[in-house]
Amino acid sequence: MLTKEKKAAILNLIRRQVVPAIGCTEPIAVAYGVAEAAKLLGCKPEHIELRLSGNILKNAMGVGIPGTGMIGLPIAVALGALIGRPELRLEVLRDCNRQAVEEGKQFIAENRIHIALEDKEPDKLYISVVCSADGHEAQTVIRGEHTNLVYKRIDNKVVLDRKACTAEAVGNDDVQLTLRTVYDFATTTELEEIDFILEAKRLNEAAAHSGMHENYGHQLGKTLCSPLGRGIMGDSIFSKVLSVTSCACDARMAGAMVPVMSNSGSGNQGICATMPVVVFAEENHNTDEELVRALILSNLTAIYMKQNLGSLSALCGCVVASTGSSCGITYLMGGNYEQISYSVKNMIANLTGMICDGAKPSCALKLTSGVSTAVLSAMLAIQHKYVTPVEGIIDEDVDQSIRNLTAIGSRGMDETDRYVLDIMTHKTTV
């Protein structure tokens, strides 16, 4: 039985980790850091020096920046300095317009921005920004989480210093979860306390609608529901789950100026934890209450897994988020805790090792792979069919199975992460 205090702590955790974001959260986090530094400086920066962890660089190289028609960090940095509103956090570039983009292009052309890899910093999410003008400089540092400011300095005056707060320390005040805790919270908490999660449905449905009606990215979502896609995939619940989820990702990764509800610092994770559950509930004629509880179950499962994995890693975030959606779908099928734990084991057995090679339009393909596995895993789980402890990394204890997955993603794949970044930064592009 969950205590009132523990329920309150979990509610606070969800509200902190499930928040609106415009654009891919890595370049947007950099823009947020720049906007905070520019505000501290008190004027338009003349020069901006950035030192970024490899995972930030990796996830910012190939993704569209909302409202700009451009990709990559420089325009995000320029706009953060010129029109960024730090109080909006992951919506810091909400005021982007054509004039601002032109000014940003000029700012870039004048070579005012310098970006370097911070390879000595242990945190995988690390952003250091120094803005300077008229002989003054302001510095901000973000680490551990996308909006976790740990250091602010104006000239020689330090106004905030939590630099000792490492990635491992971030979130230590959060309640420690297990899958059983997640399930009990989702299924027993009073409905009026958790129905705020329907805002995730509203925002991410709007992003999917945008992806369906515009030609974003690789147009995977539109392709899946085209005559070609229907001819191959049919017009099933399965195909609708894939196409709607992909449409939202297509829009977001291509830089559509639409907010999505993120999860654990990732818009794609928010989409992946939300849209498969929403579509399945609609097609399965579940009640509104069942949808709310399934969305909480999905999103909180993803948060739980990210507590162990960390904000950024070599493991693709859709592995975590689609595991959450598989739990939600299993619940909507009428599954109990045991069957939901089976779906988690089925997911881990299948998707372990899917690498993150940066945020980009083709992330829609990875989300679709994860979501398709989510549906298959739920179908097996509801029939009490699951991967057993004699197979691979699966343990009898579902929470240990999760820890096995996240250990591989956070520590076992470190060399893979470095190798991926090396390939990405040494490609010959046309």
Side-chain angles (χ1 to χ4, degrees):
M1 187 70 177
L2 294 177
T3 65
K4 182 178 180 180
E5 291 74 21
K6 194 162 190 178
K7 281 190 175 182
I10 295 173
L11 273 171
N12 180 62
L13 174 63
I14 297 172
R15 288 187 177 277
R16 186 162 65 85
Q17 296 290 357
V18 179
V19 296
I22 297 177
C24 176
T25 49
E26 278 69 57
I28 295 303
V30 174
Y32 167 64
V34 172
E36 283 280 6
K39 179 181 178 181
L40 195 60
L41 188 64
C43 63
K44 174 182 173 181
E46 295 173 359
H47 299 283
I48 303 175
E49 300 281 335
L50 299 106
R51 296 193 67 85
L52 311 174
S53 60
N55 284 82
I56 291 289
L57 282 173
K58 181 179 72 174
N59 279 356
M61 289 173 61
V63 70
I65 306 303
T68 69
M70 302 171 67
I71 65 171
L73 275 170
I75 189 63
V77 171
L79 291 174
L82 297 171
I83 53 93
R85 293 174 58 190
E87 70 274 13
L88 297 180
R89 297 164 75 82
L90 291 180
E91 296 181 278
V92 62
L93 300 186
R94 184 193 292 175
D95 293 344
C96 179
N97 54 42
R98 184 176 300 178
Q99 179 181 344
V101 173
E102 292 306 313
E103 291 178 9
K105 289 179 180 178
Q106 182 62 32
F107 195 90
I108 295 168
E110 292 169 353
N111 294 317
R112 297 178 181 271
I113 300 168
H114 181 258
I115 301 170
L117 173 66
E118 179 51 80
D119 53 3
K120 296 180 181 179
E121 170 58 46
D123 287 345
K124 293 184 178 182
L125 196 164
Y126 179 84
I127 300 164
S128 173
V129 180
V130 177
C131 292
S132 57
D134 297 327
H136 298 280
E137 66 176 31
Q139 182 182 12
T140 58
V141 175
I142 294 170
R143 71 193 308 176
E145 292 181 354
H146 290 76
T147 56
N148 185 47
L149 272 170
V150 298
Y151 186 79
K152 294 170 70 173
R153 170 181 63 83
I154 177 68
D155 292 329
N156 293 322
K157 181 182 179 182
V158 175
V159 295
L160 173 69
D161 190 358
R162 295 190 298 121
K163 290 177 76 173
C165 181
T166 64
E168 289 76 15
V170 172
N172 273 357
D173 57 336
D174 293 338
V175 60
Q176 294 304 300
L177 299 172
T178 65
L179 189 66
R180 182 83 224 193
T181 302
V182 169
Y183 175 81
D184 287 347
F185 178 86
T187 56
T188 65
T189 303
E190 292 296 325
L191 189 63
E192 59 269 21
E193 293 188 69
I194 56 175
D195 61 3
F196 65 87
I197 200 67
L198 291 175
E199 181 66 4
K201 171 182 181 291
R202 186 186 71 80
L203 287 182
N204 294 346
E205 276 187 331
H209 183 271
S210 180
M212 180 67 73
H213 291 86
E214 301 291 339
N215 293 328
Y216 288 120
H218 299 296
Q219 301 169 47
L220 176 59
K222 293 183 73 170
T223 300
L224 288 170
C225 59
S226 69
L228 173 64
R230 287 197 178 101
I232 296 172
M233 302 288 293
D235 190 20
S236 63
I237 297 176
F238 184 62
S239 65
K240 289 177 182 177
V241 166
L242 299 186
S243 64
V244 172
T245 305
S246 300
C247 278
C249 182
D250 284 333
R252 178 174 179 269
M253 289 289 93
M257 183 57 85
V258 292
V260 302
M261 190 65 81
S262 66
N263 182 299
S264 305
S266 167
N268 278 351
Q269 287 168 195
I271 290 168
C272 199
T274 301
M275 293 316 301
V277 176
V278 168
V279 175
F280 189 90
E282 180 179 342
E283 295 292 323
N284 198 47
H285 303 292
N286 289 100
T287 66
D288 290 344
E289 178 174 347
E290 288 169 338
L291 172 59
V292 168
R293 296 193 184 283
L295 285 173
I296 289 291
L297 178 60
S298 176
N299 278 274
L300 189 54
T301 298
I303 291 168
Y304 164 40
M305 295 178 72
K306 289 292 284 188
Q307 279 186 330
N308 291 276
L309 182 64
S311 296
L312 296 175
S313 74
L315 185 70
C316 178
C318 80
V319 174
V320 169
S322 57
T323 300
S325 66
S326 187
C327 293
I329 290 170
T330 304
Y331 173 80
L332 293 172
M333 288 178 173
N336 56 25
Y337 171 74
E338 183 180 44
Q339 291 161 311
I340 285 167
S341 70
Y342 293 162
S343 73
V344 172
K345 292 179 180 181
N346 291 340
M347 291 295 293
I348 293 172
N350 195 347
L351 289 181
T352 298
M354 183 185 289
I355 65 165
C356 172
D357 56 342
K360 59 212 176 300
S362 62
C363 284
L365 289 164
K366 294 191 177 186
L367 258 69
T368 304
S369 296
V371 171
S372 64
T373 303
V375 177
L376 297 176
S377 295
M379 288 169 60
L380 289 173
I382 204 68
Q383 300 177 79
H384 292 267
K385 297 175 181 176
Y386 62 99
V387 179
T388 66
V390 300
E391 304 171 72
I393 67 168
I394 300 305
D395 193 274
E396 184 67 39
D397 179 0
V398 66
D399 294 294
Q400 184 59 50
S401 296
I402 289 172
R403 288 191 290 272
N404 292 344
L405 168 72
T406 56
I408 290 170
S410 61
R411 300 192 299 276
M413 295 174 69
D414 274 350
E415 185 60 28
T416 299
D417 211 18
R418 287 188 287 271
Y419 201 66
V420 167
L421 181 61
D422 184 65
I423 290 173
M424 291 176 65
T425 55
H426 290 88
K427 287 189 296 185
T428 301
T429 57
V430 179

